[in-house]
Amino acid sequence: MAPNKPDAPERIARYILDGLDRQDAETLREIATHAENLAVWKEAKAETELEEGEDIVREDSAEDSSLPDDVPKKAGVVVKTINDNQYYYYQWREGDQVKSKYKGPVNPSE
């Protein structure tokens, strides 16, 4: 009796799944290795982009009682420039990753 085909995650686009279904086992393993390497690269790239063009406004926002529930007290506030506009972001580290959450525009009229 052949094993059942594994269910695919819903987030994977149908066109990708169709292409994967046409590959042999060896090619699928190569794709899996490439996908893992690509994910590591994208995470590192995103972290670098977060760090570029940012000014730290406050190193420790633990005194800020208005922190959202999903932002840790150890988070700092940074200013990120996007398309010549400046925005505040909460930013913190979780292990090797830099996490951030949008806070609002530096100039509320923007």
Side-chain angles (χ1 to χ4, degrees), residues 44-56 78-80 91 93 96-98:
K45 183 177 180 227
E47 183 173 327
T48 300
E49 289 172 353
L50 282 175
E51 293 169 355
E52 291 175 356
E54 294 177 347
D55 298 319
I56 297 176
V78 297
V79 175
K80 184 168 179 77
Q91 195 171 71
R93 259 194 193 283
D96 292 338
Q97 293 185 332
V98 174

Side-chain angles (χ1 to χ4, degrees), residues 7-15 17:
D7 293 330
E10 291 180 20
R11 290 184 51 174
I12 299 178
R14 172 67 22 214
Y15 73 92
L17 294 173

Side-chain angles (χ1 to χ4, degrees), residues 48-103:
T48 300
E49 289 172 353
L50 282 175
E51 293 169 355
E52 291 175 356
E54 294 177 347
D55 298 319
I56 297 176
V57 176
R58 188 172 54 228
E59 286 289 335
D60 182 12
S61 60
E63 299 172 15
D64 187 350
S65 61
S66 63
L67 282 172
D69 291 339
D70 57 344
V71 174
K73 294 200 181 300
K74 65 181 178 179
V77 177
V78 297
V79 175
K80 184 168 179 77
T81 302
I82 303 170
N83 296 329
D84 296 326
N85 296 308
Q86 293 187 315
Y87 303 95
Y88 289 119
Y89 281 83
Y90 297 106
Q91 195 171 71
W92 66 96
R93 259 194 193 283
E94 286 184 12
D96 292 338
Q97 293 185 332
V98 174
K99 302 284 186 165
S100 64
K101 179 174 176 118
Y102 176 75
K103 181 177 180 186

